[in-house]
Amino acid sequence: MAKQIVDFNASVPSNFSQSLNRPLPAAPANITLAAFGLAVLEPGTNVLLIGTAEFTASLGAPQIVIRIFRNTAVIGTVRVETLALNEVRNTTFQIVDLNAPVGYHSYKFTAEVTNSLITNQASAVGPITFSGTSIL
């Protein structure tokens, strides 16, 4: 059976490496790195989400968690392994929101430092991209 693309959207704060500097807060606080809205018109629709973010450690050895949300519900998480001081790491993830509910939804991804000692600090430095496609 052929699949049909129902909707597509993207948030692209930057396509370029090391073009931003967005400090990541310590958990439980977080920062939204990218967000967009997407329509799900019929039951049985799946949403394919693809994101990329590049991080650097500015102090210590931070551990980062990315959380992917549909509206206010977490639908996926990605852990970025401990970064060495001044290391730059590009992380790409793919999440499928199976049988997403019918409606217009906000999708976003956030990031936070989980080993929140004051000596562990990191920033999102770009690129940061996030796209979604609803497929029936």
Side-chain angles (χ1 to χ4, degrees), residues 18 20-24 53-60 62 64 80 83-90 113 120-126:
Q18 300 182 40
L20 303 169
N21 185 13
R22 296 192 178 157
L24 305 183
E54 190 168 87
F55 301 101
T56 189
S58 53
L59 189 63
I64 299 167
V80 179
L83 298 172
L85 183 61
N86 294 324
E87 177 184 2
V88 176
R89 182 164 305 161
N90 190 301
V113 174
N120 294 313
Q121 297 177 6
S123 295
V125 293

Side-chain angles (χ1 to χ4, degrees), residues 23-94:
L24 305 183
N30 62 51
I31 183 173
T32 297
L33 295 178
F36 58 82
L38 197 66
V40 174
L41 302 178
E42 295 185 38
T45 298
N46 296 323
V47 175
L48 174 62
L49 301 164
I50 301 171
T52 297
E54 190 168 87
F55 301 101
T56 189
S58 53
L59 189 63
Q63 297 172 354
I64 299 167
V65 168
I66 297 170
R67 297 186 197 282
I68 299 89
F69 291 81
R70 178 192 346 103
N71 302 325
T72 59
V74 175
I75 59 170
T77 59
V78 177
R79 182 171 301 279
V80 179
E81 293 301 318
T82 301
L83 298 172
L85 183 61
N86 294 324
E87 177 184 2
V88 176
R89 182 164 305 161
N90 190 301
T91 301
T92 297
F93 61 88
Q94 185 171 308

Side-chain angles (χ1 to χ4, degrees), residues 6-29:
V6 176
D7 197 9
F8 171 84
N9 208 341
S11 174
V12 184
S14 176
N15 276 322
F16 299 98
S17 181
Q18 300 182 40
S19 59
L20 303 169
N21 185 13
R22 296 192 178 157
L24 305 183

